[in-house]
Amino acid sequence: MEETIVLRSVDEAQAEMLRHFRPLEREVVPLIEALGRTLAEDVYADMDVPPFPNAAMDGYAVLGDDVSQAGPEHPVELRIIADLAAGYTTDLKVESGTAVRIMTGAPLPPGADTVVPFEDTDEQHADSLLSQGRVKVLKANRRGANLRQAGEDMRRGELVVSAGTWIRPAEIGVLATVGAAHVRVYRRPRVAILATGDELVDVGQRPGPGQIRNANGYSNAAQVLAAGGIPLQLPIARDTEDELHARLEQGLEWGADLFLTSGGVSVGDYDIVKKVLVSMGSMEFWRVRMKPGKPIAFGHIRGVPLLGLPGNPVSAMVGFELFARPALLKMQGRRSWQRPIIQAIFTDQIRDRSERRQYVRVIVESRDDDFYARLTGEQGSGILTSMSKANGLMIVPEGQELVGPGSRMPVLMIDWPEWNNGL
Ligand code: AMP
Ligand code: MG
């Protein structure tokens, strides 16, 4: 068996791996289905938005010159010539001494150049003149007040969402505004997930002697979903050549864009997984200078990239975070694939003699205008609950042995859920 072992830093391994990925094909989807996807074309405004000048408040469309001197002591009385709701237009012209009662969003009637809000008139007062078709303006409004100008949000022909943008609810709203009923996005990557190990049983089963439940198949599938991919959980593969072979074939038939395996790639392992991978494609076995998750396999099986993650549940998840997630984002045409890294003050102490870069599970909280990070608990690569409690991975540089309380450290924010702010 030919097995190439390569020693790499995390950055080298990431760069080497990402080199092999390109954005996938593009497809057109109905607008709402584009949420969470990546836009694959530049989208331009097809008209000015708003398309016409309109009222920014409920009130009276008037001539600014009529109301510029109005005040409680010298109210200005105007005759109401029309009532205009959003969605309607009028040909009646506002002239000096007249007003159109207008609702927010209704087009400014001809002649008018200013909107006086209801609160600046006698509209709500007990002795209001409304029933007589008249209104008193009680406060000065400068000309042009409470209007929205045509094109103040978007100009016809302007680039409003560019290719490579991750589509959030706000982008959906902008796209709807410019009439993009269907949008071109990158195809979602199909990821075949294979958990390997004689000791594994599925989630619905009770583990017998020597057995454990398959966590990685699920955590990795969930990570794929969260990163915009389509996961296929292949049945657990026993550590036999036939079974591994059959599972990988199944993934190829399904049309996987990426294989994610877990287990069987570490140095001390029984060689079956590596042997099958090597027999089916071109593989490299990396020792990445990181903790957790040193052994990573990367290569191609009949042209389909395969990322082999370590079996320990935390290593499998961290390995996904650092390697698979960026690859999935790149396949989806995203312009950047790095999670935010913040600076936080560490409040615990850790000491580790390893030469590897450490990713330490921490809880980041905001207090007194600063971020503080504390350990989630034991850092063993089998302690999956410490991953579940974490919102960040504190990055300890290669070779740094001690991180004491008060150290300011970079933290990769893997999740940033709502703060518990005591409400
Ligand atoms: P391996 O990389 O196959 O040597 O596995 C390393 C450790 O991870 C062993 O303790 C395995 O039992 C455990 N492990 C491997 N695969 C999984 C899995 N899918 N779910 C939970 N634990 C696993
Ligand atoms: Mg194993």
Side-chain angles (χ1 to χ4, degrees):
M1 176 185 126
E2 290 230 359
E3 189 188 306
T4 326
I5 307 245
V6 189
L7 194 74
R8 289 189 200 283
S9 70
V10 175
D11 298 338
E12 287 163 354
Q14 269 178 344
E16 168 56 23
M17 213 195 74
L18 282 174
R19 208 163 63 72
H20 296 275
F21 292 90
R22 296 276 167 278
L24 298 174
E25 305 84 58
R26 310 182 303 170
E27 63 185 9
V28 174
V29 298
L31 178 56
I32 193 69
E33 285 170 33
L35 182 68
R37 310 282 295 267
T38 306
L39 195 63
E41 62 186 346
D42 289 339
V43 175
Y44 299 86
D46 66 336
M47 54 170 74
D48 281 356
V49 177
F52 45 83
N54 64 89
M57 293 188 78
D58 295 341
Y60 289 89
V62 300
L63 300 190
D65 286 347
D66 276 1
V67 299
S68 59
Q69 304 298 323
E73 306 309 320
H74 32 89
V76 173
E77 202 174 307
L78 301 170
R79 185 166 58 83
I80 304 168
I81 57 169
D83 219 307
L84 195 60
Y88 298 89
T89 60
T90 180
D91 293 331
L92 291 174
K93 190 158 185 273
V94 175
E95 282 162 352
S96 185
T98 68
V100 166
R101 195 165 176 271
I102 193 168
M103 300 301 131
T104 304
L108 197 67
D113 58 16
T114 304
V115 171
V116 176
F118 285 159
E119 5 338 3
D120 293 352
T121 71
D122 67 344
E123 163 98 14
Q124 318 282 349
H125 297 192
D127 58 353
S128 139
L129 300 176
L130 188 56
S131 59
Q132 297 157 39
R134 304 185 74 81
V135 63
K136 268 190 201 159
V137 176
L138 304 167
K139 207 174 151 200
N141 273 260
R142 64 179 166 73
R143 189 196 309 191
N146 306 306
L147 289 188
R148 301 167 179 152
Q149 298 303 337
E152 72 174 25
D153 187 3
M154 310 172 204
R155 281 265 166 220
R156 183 193 156 135
E158 181 186 330
L159 176 64
V160 287
V161 192
S162 60
T165 301
W166 180 49
I167 301 173
R168 305 168 303 165
E171 280 72 36
I172 296 281
V174 169
L175 292 165
T177 302
V178 301
H182 290 82
V183 291
R184 201 174 295 278
V185 293
Y186 290 95
R187 178 166 78 69
R188 297 174 67 186
R190 296 163 72 85
V191 185
I193 294 166
L194 183 58
T196 71
D198 286 342
E199 73 278 30
L200 302 179
V201 299
D202 204 355
V203 60
Q205 284 170 279
R206 190 156 188 88
Q211 296 182 321
I212 56 167
R213 290 203 183 94
N214 168 21
N216 302 345
Y218 287 87
S219 56
N220 284 159
Q223 287 177 304
V224 166
L225 278 171
I230 302 170
L232 171 69
Q233 282 182 268
L234 295 165
I236 295 164
R238 310 285 136 218
D239 291 315
T240 68
E241 280 185 51
D242 283 354
E243 214 167 298
L244 286 161
H245 202 273
R247 297 289 182 259
L248 292 168
E249 287 291 351
Q250 201 180 331
L252 286 169
E253 238 166 77
W254 177 66
D257 299 302
L258 172 67
F259 276 102
L260 270 186
T261 68
S262 64
V265 293
S266 49
V267 198
D269 261 312
Y270 186 47
D271 270 337
I272 291 297
V273 176
K274 293 187 193 170
K275 185 172 170 189
V276 172
L277 293 182
V278 167
S279 77
M280 288 180 75
S282 60
M283 294 296 305
E284 285 188 348
F285 295 86
W286 298 348
R287 307 237 173 94
V288 181
R289 289 197 297 276
M290 63 186 270
K291 189 179 177 181
K294 176 164 78 167
I296 301 272
F298 182 72
H300 292 80
I301 302 268
R302 305 231 189 93
V304 177
L306 182 145
L307 176 63
L309 298 170
N312 276 310
V314 175
S315 311
M317 288 197 76
V318 172
F320 181 97
E321 191 54 47
L322 297 181
F323 301 106
R325 184 174 179 277
L328 291 180
L329 298 195
K330 189 171 179 190
M331 280 193 265
Q332 289 169 86
R334 287 272 279 280
R335 280 186 295 243
S336 50
W337 37 79
Q338 173 83 271
R339 298 256 200 208
I341 293 180
I342 62 159
Q343 300 294 319
I345 298 165
F346 190 48
T347 55
D348 289 313
Q349 172 159 317
I350 49 165
R351 187 186 289 278
D352 190 299
R353 287 207 315 281
S354 134
E355 282 294 294
R356 298 178 273 160
R357 181 192 285 180
Q358 296 173 68
Y359 289 91
V360 179
R361 279 90 80 196
V362 293
I363 301 162
V364 174
E365 281 165 341
S366 154
R367 279 197 306 274
D368 316 325
D369 295 338
D370 239 322
F371 290 120
Y372 291 87
R374 61 189 157 89
L375 296 174
T376 58
E378 282 302 318
Q379 293 292 310
S381 56
I383 312 290
L384 193 51
T385 49
S386 74
M387 193 71 188
S388 156
K389 290 172 192 149
N391 57 4
L393 297 173
M394 182 172 82
I395 304 170
V396 184
E398 290 177 37
Q400 179 170 347
E401 212 175 283
L402 176 76
V403 185
S407 314
R408 196 172 274 275
M409 300 294 292
V411 181
L412 182 77
M413 297 307 293
I414 49 176
D415 267 304
W416 210 323
E418 292 71 19
W419 300 108
N420 178 357
N421 54 8
L423 291 181

